[in-house]
Amino acid sequence: MEKEIEIEGLKLHYEESGNPEGNPVVILHGWGCNLTTVKSIANYLSDKMRVIIIDLPGHGKSQEPKEIFGSDDFADIILKLIDRLELKQPSLIGHSFGGRTIIAMASKSPAEKFNKIVLVDSAGITPKRSLKYYYKVYSYKTLKKLALTLLGEEKGKRIVERVLKKRGSADYQASSPKMRAIMSKCINEDLRKRLSDIHQPTLLIWGENDTATPLSDAKIMEKFIPDAGLVSFPNCGHYSFLDNPIGFKTVLREFFKPELTQLTNHNS
């Protein structure tokens, strides 16, 4: 069922499915996607659990933030939505940027706030930058300054945009100027120091061929999250839950087996 809620003046779109009496679980998609991307994950749990999937701010049918959000701003919005919906100890599942948001949420909340956490090919670890990366960044900044100074703002911006189209990621190019600024801010926030503040049982599911958030990121998370376990799928990339749906469903439902059987036992 599609719904809309306003949090801090921001309209958010979400969908709710499953058993309203079941254990709640909140699912967050990745950057540049929307809630439809993670509907298959929702379907794996909706037979017994109460499932809420959300369009993150600036994605899908949710309103774009009025300010330049960081990871904690996304976290705060979702935390307030959870409180407004009166969800009691929900579990959290996040893919890519959704996982980054969940890391921020869990690390700043009391342990009893959430039940379990699943991070799927999650963002949150800032990669080590190569000399080539820094060369591209600083040469771009130099080009931007020179273009705006020598050619004027209007013509200079056109030159800069052409450079971005050649150098920027597909997600970056598809975003609005404000969402580009938000994306840039968030991906430069390294959350690894906050991993030790996550006290819920945490399942890490990864594609071994993931190049966006490599398996090495998962191993860092497994090391520093106190109660974490890693399952990786060979021949799968950044969307491991789509690349190996059978394996993903099996692992996910095993992790949530107590929550999936609790309602059955309660009703019997």
Side-chain angles (χ1 to χ4, degrees):
M1 181 182 297
E2 291 194 47
K3 297 184 179 183
E4 188 177 273
I5 191 171
E6 186 170 310
I7 306 289
E8 298 291 320
L10 198 64
K11 291 181 180 178
L12 297 180
H13 171 253
Y14 70 99
E15 290 187 14
E16 186 168 341
S17 62
N19 194 318
E21 296 182 5
N23 291 276
V25 57
V26 174
I27 306 176
L28 304 179
H29 61 79
W31 186 273
C33 299
N34 57 56
L35 58 77
T36 62
T37 313
V38 292
K39 272 194 174 182
S40 63
I41 301 177
N43 292 338
Y44 298 150
L45 302 173
S46 60
D47 58 329
K48 300 293 183 183
M49 300 179 73
R50 179 185 177 189
V51 184
I52 294 93
I53 51 178
I54 304 166
D55 276 337
L56 288 167
H59 295 77
K61 297 179 183 178
S62 287
Q63 194 174 3
E64 192 172 283
K66 297 177 176 62
E67 309 294 335
I68 305 302
F69 269 20
S71 302
D72 279 310
D73 298 303
F74 280 96
D76 289 341
I77 287 290
I78 304 303
L79 285 169
K80 288 173 182 175
L81 184 150
I82 287 171
D83 289 341
R84 285 275 296 276
L85 296 182
E86 299 182 343
L87 302 179
K88 306 297 184 184
Q89 282 193 306
S91 293
L92 306 173
I93 302 174
H95 171 246
S96 193
F97 187 84
R100 169 187 287 277
T101 303
I102 287 171
I103 292 171
M105 290 167 62
S107 62
K108 69 192 299 180
S109 301
E112 63 273 12
K113 179 74 173 178
F114 305 113
N115 179 29
K116 293 180 177 179
I117 290 173
V118 182
L119 301 176
V120 185
D121 300 290
S122 176
I125 306 296
T126 301
K128 293 180 179 179
R129 305 300 192 184
S130 65
L131 183 62
K132 183 179 179 181
Y133 168 84
Y134 286 112
Y135 173 79
K136 288 174 71 174
V137 168
Y138 288 112
S139 63
Y140 161 71
K141 288 183 178 180
T142 301
L143 170 67
K144 181 178 179 181
K145 186 174 181 180
L146 287 173
L148 295 178
T149 301
L150 299 177
L151 302 175
E153 186 171 350
E154 185 176 344
K155 190 173 181 180
K157 281 184 176 179
R158 288 202 300 270
I159 297 293
V160 171
E161 282 296 315
R162 285 205 292 270
V163 172
L164 280 178
K165 287 181 180 179
K166 291 181 179 180
R167 295 185 178 180
S169 69
D171 285 345
Y172 191 87
Q173 292 174 35
S175 300
S176 70
K178 181 176 287 184
M179 293 305 289
R180 289 179 184 181
I182 291 172
M183 182 184 183
S184 180
K185 180 177 181 177
C186 289
I187 63 175
N188 285 295
E189 295 173 340
D190 195 333
L191 303 184
R192 74 181 71 202
K193 290 184 178 179
R194 299 174 63 171
L195 296 173
S196 59
D197 294 323
I198 298 174
H199 299 293
Q200 294 78 16
T202 301
L203 172 63
L204 308 168
I205 306 180
W206 238 262
E208 292 181 6
N209 296 342
D210 190 340
T211 56
T213 55
L215 187 60
S216 57
D217 289 1
K219 292 178 179 178
I220 292 172
M221 294 182 186
E222 183 183 28
K223 179 179 179 181
F224 290 105
I225 297 174
D227 186 8
L230 170 63
V231 175
S232 63
F233 296 135
N235 304 314
C236 292
H238 188 56
Y239 291 82
S240 58
F241 64 101
L242 298 177
D243 293 339
N244 186 358
I246 296 175
F248 184 90
K249 178 181 179 180
T250 300
V251 171
L252 187 70
R253 287 185 67 86
E254 181 63 28
F255 185 62
F256 284 110
K257 190 173 183 179
E259 288 75 20
L260 292 167
T261 56
Q262 182 179 341
L263 187 63
T264 302
N265 294 336
H266 177 75
N267 290 338
S268 61

